[in-house]
Amino acid sequence: MDQLLQHLVNGLVLGGTYALLGIGLTLIFGLMNVVNFAHGEFYTLGAYATFAALTLADLNFFAALGLAIVCGLVVGAVTEFVLVRPLRRESIDTVMLVMIGVWIAMQNSELLVWGGVAKSIPHPFSTTPLTLGGVSLAPLRLFVLVAALGLIVGAHLLIHRTRLGRAMRATFQDADTAALMGVRIRRIYTATFAIGSGLAAAAGALLGPIFIAYPSMGDLASLKAFSVVILGGLGNIAGATVGGLVLGVAEELGAGYVSSGYRDAVGFVIIIAVLLLRPSGLIARAERVG
Amino acid sequence: MRRAAGLLLALAALTLPLWIANAYFLHVVIMAGIFGVLASSLNLLLGYTGQLSLGHAAFFGIGAYASALLTLRWEWSFWLALPAAVLAAGIAGWAIGRLALKLRGAYFVLVTISFAGVIALISINWMDLTNGPLGLPGVPAPELGPWSLRTKSAYYYLVLAAVALAYEVCRRLVDSRIGRAFVALRENEALAESVGVDGTRYLVLAAVVSAGLAGLAGSLYAHYTRFVSPEVFLFTYTVTMVIMVVAGGKGTLAGPLVGAVLFTVLPEALRAATSWQWQMLAYGLILVVLVFFLPRGIVPTFFR
């Protein structure tokens, strides 16, 4: 029983960051119809930006996290402006090929800059775990869970309580009508891509110190983000939140009770099973933003 | 004119080992041939039916492992293991086709990636069968009667025959009713179905043939490098195939072969000048540049 609780807690910590990845991707995928295979690279970017800010610039840990998110926002906005915007009228496959190109290029630039050796990201938290009942949790993991939940709530508020969020929801429902009503949809697209990338960078910055940073870490992150989106339904933020937590817990349980070698297979199996059995997502009633 | 050029090309291909004595150059040509088969196989799906499979390395890997295991564990002859590898990959293609071709676009891509991911994890974790990450060394070279096809020039002819076979299979398929159905489905699926084209059946057929050809390439690769490890499932292989098809020209027969030669020779030529990471970085940038400036690929742009 204690072991089960422990797995659940660990799964929630992972799941919170998966949810961040998933929300970012579901916005980009749902709103812009861009299959962003480079999404995981923004996750990697977040981890390396944190590492650079801590070791090269000697920044405070929390400032480094903030800087990583800003990095994700800026690089995301630039990517959208330079590469996605000119292809607005092209087919979804064309844009997908470009994003595959971006993925490979970003990953190998990271390999060139940082080398193939994994970096461990320092953090100021004590390594003595907090224990409650039979469950122990490192303070860092607790912080990651809380920060991830905070960012998720932030994303919800952004979508539901701000002008930008309302414009984003309108664009998702019907881009042409939104444009007629005076929504500057090109700006909305740039903002959406930037926010999505920023959330991915936040996930990388948070998980980086728990694990390690290495150039190809984004590959699995992309696939996990896609499985979260598929679980939750396209463009569905609440769905992505639940989907992320479900994936995190499912992975922990799979690794704990089945075989740790197949931990990463959980996401793949979820993608295959959900797409074949319930293509609109497990949680989604309809495809929508919000 | 075209005929003469074709004959000249065939003659050049048949006599190549006579005027390329350098073993390294021959190696590059052999790898280009293996990738030519792979790119042609991907082109059937991506170019003609318009479905992008990003799990193609799985069929390549299944072919390689099937062939290696049959010759190593059960001591089959290469000539039986090769068709068995094609069959194994084809069956996998059928299964995935039946499941995934209910979906289109991005969702199809995701299922193919996930499938390849699961297969790769199995190859790493199923130690008893695959020897895990250590791989299977000592895959035997093919033998033809009393001769062993161990030399590069002998293997070159084997690969050449496979390229010719793959080209011919694709040509006949594409020039037939079936090929026209593929293109009809790519251009407008609803319209094609309304005139009686059974979409799923044709797409599954394309997936089976495509996977089988990828399995053929896998088997040739296994018996050429004589070593198979989970690296055959690397995503890099899939990306390389996609770039070859897109660069050469989707939906043309010659395109994937041109792409395969170009993107096998180019990295080798760059190898002296740059490191492997720069190469991969260049691959990514080339893909982006191609989509922007040469969206139809080399063959349709320059040879029509």
Side-chain angles (χ1 to χ4, degrees):
Chain A
M1 190 60 206
D2 282 355
Q3 208 191 350
L4 178 67
L5 273 177
Q6 182 68 54
H7 284 310
L8 285 177
V9 170
N10 289 346
L12 285 181
V13 173
L14 275 183
T17 49
Y18 291 170
L20 285 179
L21 272 170
I23 292 171
L25 191 65
T26 211
L27 284 175
I28 294 171
F29 196 178
L31 215 135
M32 305 173 64
N33 212 15
V34 168
V35 188
N36 184 13
F37 278 111
H39 198 62
E41 293 316 310
F42 290 94
Y43 169 86
T44 317
L45 180 73
Y48 275 117
T50 313
F51 178 75
L54 287 171
T55 55
L56 303 181
D58 227 3
L59 236 58
N60 169 289
F61 181 71
F62 303 98
L65 291 183
L67 188 75
I69 297 174
V70 172
C71 255
L73 287 169
V74 171
V75 178
V78 170
T79 307
E80 199 281 337
F81 192 79
V82 176
L83 294 174
V84 184
R85 185 175 282 199
L87 298 176
R88 194 64 222 142
R89 301 269 158 231
E90 299 288 332
S91 77
I92 181 170
D93 290 344
T94 308
V95 185
M96 182 159 64
L97 280 174
V98 169
M99 295 325 289
I100 293 172
V102 173
W103 165 15
I104 304 164
M106 278 179 81
Q107 181 167 118
N108 287 284
S109 331
E110 258 133 19
L111 189 58
L112 278 169
V113 174
W114 300 106
V117 183
K119 308 276 188 216
S120 90
I121 299 173
H123 62 84
F125 293 96
S126 147
T127 46
T128 343
L130 310 164
T131 43
L132 183 72
V135 180
S136 69
L137 184 66
L140 172 65
R141 285 179 180 252
L142 182 64
F143 165 74
V144 166
L145 180 60
V146 172
L149 291 179
L151 283 165
I152 292 169
V153 171
H156 277 272
L157 292 177
L158 178 76
I159 297 293
H160 288 285
R161 293 276 187 275
T162 64
R163 262 182 82 82
L164 175 65
R166 197 183 319 152
M168 284 167 75
R169 281 181 287 143
T171 311
F172 177 72
Q173 282 178 3
D174 189 332
D176 291 334
T177 312
L180 286 173
M181 296 297 131
V183 175
R184 296 185 184 174
I185 54 170
R186 296 209 296 186
R187 284 196 195 172
I188 298 299
Y189 285 141
T190 308
T192 305
F193 204 96
I195 293 168
S197 306
L199 288 173
L206 288 173
L207 269 195
I210 292 188
F211 300 120
I212 40 175
Y214 55 98
S216 61
M217 66 194 278
D219 293 0
L220 276 172
S222 277
L223 288 167
K224 282 172 187 172
F226 275 113
S227 31
V228 169
V229 172
I230 286 165
L231 262 176
L234 202 56
N236 188 332
I237 293 188
T241 310
V242 179
L245 296 174
V246 168
L247 177 65
V249 170
E251 273 190 13
E252 275 297 325
L253 294 179
Y257 292 106
V258 185
S259 154
S260 59
Y262 286 104
R263 164 190 281 272
D264 295 323
V266 173
F268 295 136
V269 172
I270 286 179
I271 290 185
I272 296 175
V274 175
L275 281 181
L276 297 178
L277 303 176
R278 273 204 67 171
S280 61
L282 277 188
I283 300 134
R285 269 166 303 157
E287 294 186 352
R288 63 202 181 91
V289 159
Chain B
M1 181 60 198
R2 275 188 81 122
R3 219 184 142 75
L7 273 175
L8 208 64
L9 202 67
L11 192 69
L14 280 172
T15 57
L16 192 94
L18 300 178
W19 39 277
I20 291 190
N22 185 321
Y24 167 67
F25 288 144
L26 211 50
H27 163 76
V28 175
V29 176
I30 289 171
M31 289 311 291
I34 291 174
F35 270 110
V37 176
L38 268 178
S40 298
S41 90
L42 183 69
N43 184 41
L44 264 187
L45 274 178
L46 175 59
Y48 288 100
T49 69
Q51 302 297 322
L52 173 60
S53 155
L54 280 188
H56 236 59
F59 304 122
F60 175 69
I62 287 173
Y65 266 101
S67 205
L69 285 170
L70 286 172
T71 49
L72 277 174
R73 296 272 160 92
W74 290 280
E75 299 186 342
W76 283 29
S77 144
F78 165 76
W79 303 103
L80 285 174
L82 178 82
V86 173
L87 191 69
I91 290 172
W94 176 79
I96 283 307
R98 281 305 299 265
L99 287 173
L101 284 166
K102 289 181 196 161
L103 309 159
R104 295 289 180 273
Y107 295 113
F108 175 75
V109 176
L110 284 169
V111 170
T112 55
I113 293 186
S114 308
F115 165 70
V118 171
I119 297 281
L121 283 172
I122 291 175
S123 78
I124 293 169
N125 286 300
W126 193 354
M127 288 297 287
D128 294 339
L129 183 73
T130 63
N131 205 19
L134 301 174
L136 299 166
V139 181
E143 285 173 11
L144 186 64
W147 305 289
S148 159
L149 304 183
R150 199 177 284 261
T151 63
K152 289 217 161 44
S153 43
Y155 213 89
Y156 166 77
Y157 284 108
L158 184 62
V159 170
L160 185 65
V163 172
L165 177 74
Y167 183 86
E168 201 49 28
V169 166
C170 292
R171 191 181 67 81
R172 293 203 170 198
L173 203 59
V174 168
D175 282 347
S176 69
R177 270 179 73 90
I178 301 172
R180 287 194 291 278
F182 288 171
V183 175
L185 287 166
R186 179 188 72 195
E187 294 301 325
N188 189 334
E189 188 165 344
L191 189 60
E193 298 226 325
S194 77
V195 294
V197 176
D198 182 345
T200 310
R201 232 184 88 206
Y202 280 106
L203 292 180
V204 170
L205 177 69
V208 170
V209 178
S210 175
L213 287 177
L216 172 71
S219 170
L220 287 174
Y221 177 82
H223 292 275
Y224 176 62
T225 59
R226 321 225 359 237
F227 173 66
V228 179
S229 75
E231 293 203 348
V232 290
F233 295 106
L234 275 183
F235 193 68
T236 316
Y237 281 107
T238 304
V239 171
T240 312
M241 283 181 245
V242 172
I243 292 180
M244 285 168 175
V245 174
V246 173
K250 292 186 283 188
T252 62
L253 287 168
L257 298 180
V258 171
V261 171
L262 193 64
F263 281 93
T264 322
V265 173
L266 201 66
E268 292 294 338
L270 290 174
R271 191 196 287 270
T274 63
S275 69
W276 175 79
Q277 294 94 319
W278 280 106
Q279 241 178 67
M280 282 307 290
L281 175 58
Y283 264 28
L285 297 178
I286 287 171
L287 187 56
V288 172
V289 169
L290 276 172
V291 173
F292 271 85
F293 298 107
L294 208 65
R296 289 189 306 149
I298 294 167
V299 169
T301 311
F302 297 113
F303 296 94
R304 236 146 252 204

